[in-house]
Amino acid sequence: MGDEMGKYLIGCDIGTSGAKAIIADAEGQIFGSYYVEYPLHSPHSGWYEHDPEDYWKVFKENMWEILRQSRVRPEEVAGISVSACSPCCIMVDREGNALKQAPIWMDRRAQEECEFIRNLYDDDKIFEVSANPLDPHSGAVKLLWEKNHNPELYKKAYKMLNPANYVTMKLTGEFVTDYSNASLVGIVFDIVKREWRTDMADAIGLDADKLARLVPCHQVVGEVTGKAAKECGLHEGTPVVAGSVDCNAAWLGNGATRPGDASLVMGTAGALGVVHSDPHFTRNLTTIIHTANSETLYTTLAGTSSCGGLLRYLRDTFTEKEKELVKKEGKDIYDVFTAEAAKIPAGAEGLIVLPYLSGERTPLWNPRARGVVFGLAFSHTRGHWVRAMMEGGVYAIYHCLKIMQENHLPITTPILVSEGGAKSALWRQIASDIMDVDLNYMKDAKGAPMGNVINAGVGVGLFRDFEVAKDFIHVDETHHPDSGQHETYEKYYAIYRRLYEDVKTNYDLIAEIRNG
């Protein structure tokens, strides 16, 4: 660690509903931490957008607040790294102004564009190049939609950026995209060679020069400009590294740095990431170049649509008044839920939930899928509903884990688990029992912001390598699977899988009726 540079690092993660930033020293000790929410816009059914200005607004608010809390002088900050939700599609002009609100990863509008591309390239070719499925989720498909529906703005666009790259551009004036965000642009990104496939961009009708310059995640891409320094309270000239996708930053923060390392984040959605160096990819899952050692490592991602969000749905829909009463008693409604679910045996006495309340991503890729509650009887209590929701959320992750195992992806156990639903010891044990794996729980995992601190530290030379992530984690509890419970769950899981196959044609019929 050189004495000539500052000793503090800033990591900021911009999620789907809010942004969190931390300031830490070279030992991983946190001196300031702040979270601020921002709005999600849904102008039509299936459309989900952010105002890109909000990314910059919440980033600035975070910077002022963590510097105030920490009392760190701006010139003591050695480096900054930003991660964010992805894939999105922010069209910016030459000055870096966003031209319109940007469709985000949840957005489903570009289904016709997918069909158009599928007539040019079959799924095998797309998978061979990008290691990802063709879906409205992908950044390139979103950009094609913009070209088709907003041709004037598309012409005006200088570059397409993802949210992390947008903030980096606002800080430095540099239009770059890191390897992990480029992975989710999909189709036109060769994930092994780490370069744009300009021939494929041309074929589908996209201008390849609208794609940003590609860089490794930890590369210093520029310095904080005078203008950005004034707006954020930062020091002009502070190095900024390229950044990353949010889930990858979270896995790095959880200590996942080497091939075989696996990390499960039980947030609104479920995200199980497995690190590997071998360019051997798994169909129907998502592949993202890892934040750590992005020149050589990949993560195979099981990204389901609903996990922790399932209990939030129960809370917000059915317990609004009770939630407030429980709060007055100094308790948390989730603890009440867990206590009720703990009394219910594995399999929730025949109550099975398909957790596809907002469609499903891996491995079904079915935007029309919806939740199903099956086997409901008068004897089922609220505790049964809670337990069945917990189990359904894990069945969806287990479905992906089984595909990884069938594809011979090496996975080191225990799997690290953190955030959201993982705060419930019952839910963690259910996950261990269903998936038949050991889980290590980290109560105080700092997630993506800490992953960004590590990425920034490696980028500016404050850390020797990414292995420092392992020094910063602390395991609070290990869960071992109960073989008897797992046996019971296997029987219910088989029904869970069959249920989707039995009902899936009805999803299309409902969509047709609803869309009139």
Side-chain angles (χ1 to χ4, degrees), residues 46-49 85-91 100-111 113-114 117 134-150 154 160-163 184-187 204 206:
W47 291 30
Y48 297 96
E49 300 177 345
C85 57
S86 181
C88 307
C89 175
I90 308 168
M91 294 192 296
K100 65 182 285 289
Q101 289 200 163
I104 67 160
W105 63 272
M106 295 159 69
D107 194 275
R108 307 305 304 170
R109 75 185 75 172
Q111 301 199 28
E113 282 68 22
C114 282
I117 294 166
L134 176 62
D135 187 83
H137 178 74
S138 306
V141 181
K142 294 183 196 304
L143 185 60
L144 187 58
W145 187 94
E146 295 288 5
K147 183 190 177 188
N148 290 341
H149 294 81
N150 295 301
Y154 174 84
M160 177 190 90
L161 299 172
N162 269 303
L184 295 181
V185 173
I187 310 163
I204 66 174
L206 291 177

Side-chain angles (χ1 to χ4, degrees), residues 158-351:
Y158 172 56
K159 297 288 176 193
M160 177 190 90
L161 299 172
N162 269 303
N165 314 137
Y166 178 78
V167 173
T168 299
M169 179 273 298
K170 285 288 214 180
L171 282 169
T172 63
E174 296 293 327
F175 296 82
V176 299
T177 193
D178 60 276
Y179 290 158
S180 72
N181 272 291
S183 311
L184 295 181
V185 173
I187 310 163
V188 296
F189 180 64
D190 185 321
I191 202 162
V192 176
K193 290 183 177 164
R194 289 159 169 75
E195 61 188 33
W196 297 124
R197 281 291 297 265
T198 54
D199 59 326
M200 291 178 82
D202 291 343
I204 66 174
L206 291 177
D207 298 278
D209 64 358
K210 292 191 190 297
L211 302 168
R213 178 165 63 89
L214 291 161
V215 287
C217 295
H218 69 281
Q219 186 170 311
V220 174
V221 295
E223 297 177 342
V224 175
T225 63
K227 182 177 185 293
K230 281 195 190 76
E231 288 186 50
C232 300
L234 294 165
H235 180 63
E236 185 178 349
T238 305
V240 180
V241 308
S244 153
V245 172
D246 54 1
C247 55
N248 284 48
W251 298 326
L252 174 58
N254 283 359
T257 58
R258 298 175 196 152
D261 285 352
S263 172
L264 171 61
V265 175
M266 295 173 74
T268 302
L272 170 64
V274 180
V275 181
H276 54 106
S277 57
D278 182 19
H280 176 58
F281 305 115
T282 308
R283 276 187 177 277
N284 296 325
L285 302 186
T286 298
T287 307
I288 314 180
I289 288 172
H290 195 23
T291 309
N293 302 314
S294 61
E295 292 100 331
T296 55
L297 294 184
Y298 304 91
T299 44
T300 290
L301 159 68
T304 64
S305 289
S306 307
C307 187
L310 295 163
L311 289 206
R312 190 171 65 209
Y313 165 76
L314 281 185
R315 181 196 75 180
D316 294 348
T317 312
F318 300 112
T319 65
E320 207 42 54
K321 287 200 174 97
E322 190 182 354
K323 185 176 78 180
E324 295 309 313
L325 290 171
V326 165
K327 209 171 175 183
K328 279 180 188 154
E329 293 168 19
K331 291 187 210 151
D332 185 328
I333 192 74
Y334 289 130
D335 295 335
V336 176
F337 279 177
T338 299
E340 290 173 6
K343 295 175 184 154
I344 310 301
E349 295 182 307
L351 190 64

